Amino acid sequence: MPMMSKTHRPARPYHHGNLREALVEGAEALLNESGTEKFSLRAVARRIGVSPAAPYAHFENRQALLAAVATRGFKRLSAYQKQAENRSQGSAEWMHSLARGYVRFAVDHPILFRLMFSAELDGVDDEALWAAADQSYAFIRTAVADRLSQAADRRMNAGAGSRGAWALAHGLAMLIVDGKVDWPPTESVRDAMINEIAGVYSSGLL
């Protein structure tokens, strides 16, 4: 990853009233450039062109700012899931579509995706973060419950089914993001790969 030089100038210098939003945007941009290793409130302040003390008006420490970035990530993931749901809600493809949306989010935002589920956020007390995380998971819960409602003989309860579906989508996403599984070059092959895995799980629920 390229390091910021002393002559670096912020891509979007702060010059408006919403300092908190500017800090979160700057933090995400910095993470995309250099990951969490060199991440600090001071580095984010330097990036957006404010004093080193300015971030403390909104974030008490490094972890609090990372939590705010992760919160945005979960909201963005929910947007992917919502778009997928709008195309398939109530159909046999519902779970497949959500799995595709989940994996695509991870591939589009790999560093953000890793942060959202990283040890960096262990133990953080941030109600907005966990509410956003739960909202993104609710799409999976709803689709699994719908699928199970069609089963004459349920093989598992909705809680176990939801965890299993999440584990499948999340595991595949991480394998692709970490380069353990190749991300196919074309949309049709990508969809076929995800559909095949999701289809095996979906049929197992019934």
Side-chain angles (χ1 to χ4, degrees), residues 16-158:
H16 53 81
N18 196 341
L19 175 58
R20 188 184 193 281
E21 183 67 16
L23 288 165
V24 175
E25 289 183 4
E28 184 176 352
L30 185 60
L31 285 169
N32 286 329
E33 286 182 2
S34 54
T36 58
E37 184 178 346
K38 297 183 180 299
F39 184 88
S40 67
L41 292 180
R42 181 179 292 272
V44 175
R46 184 166 58 247
R47 180 180 180 83
I48 69 170
V50 297
S51 73
Y56 292 95
H58 296 280
F59 303 102
E60 63 178 350
N61 53 34
R62 175 181 185 274
Q63 189 184 50
L65 180 50
L66 286 172
V69 176
T71 300
R72 279 173 40 130
F74 279 113
K75 290 179 179 179
R76 202 174 296 165
L77 173 57
S78 287
Y80 274 65
Q81 299 286 73
K82 183 62 177 176
Q83 185 177 30
E85 184 178 79
N86 287 341
R87 291 193 297 265
S88 58
Q89 186 171 9
S91 74
E93 292 294 308
W94 192 358
M95 289 181 61
H96 299 204
S97 186
L98 288 175
R100 293 196 299 270
Y102 194 98
V103 173
R104 283 175 179 156
F105 170 81
V107 173
D108 288 348
H109 308 283
I111 294 175
L112 180 58
F113 184 73
R114 286 194 185 98
L115 170 67
M116 289 157 57
F117 299 98
S118 74
E120 292 278 355
L121 302 178
D122 284 355
V124 65
D125 183 16
D126 190 311
E127 185 176 339
L129 171 62
W130 304 124
D134 186 67
Q135 182 181 30
S136 71
Y137 183 54
F139 290 95
I140 297 173
R141 284 200 305 263
T142 303
V144 168
D146 179 79
R147 187 69 172 158
L148 285 171
S149 71
Q150 303 171 37
D153 181 19
R154 294 190 181 191
R155 299 183 182 182
M156 63 184 75
N157 61 43

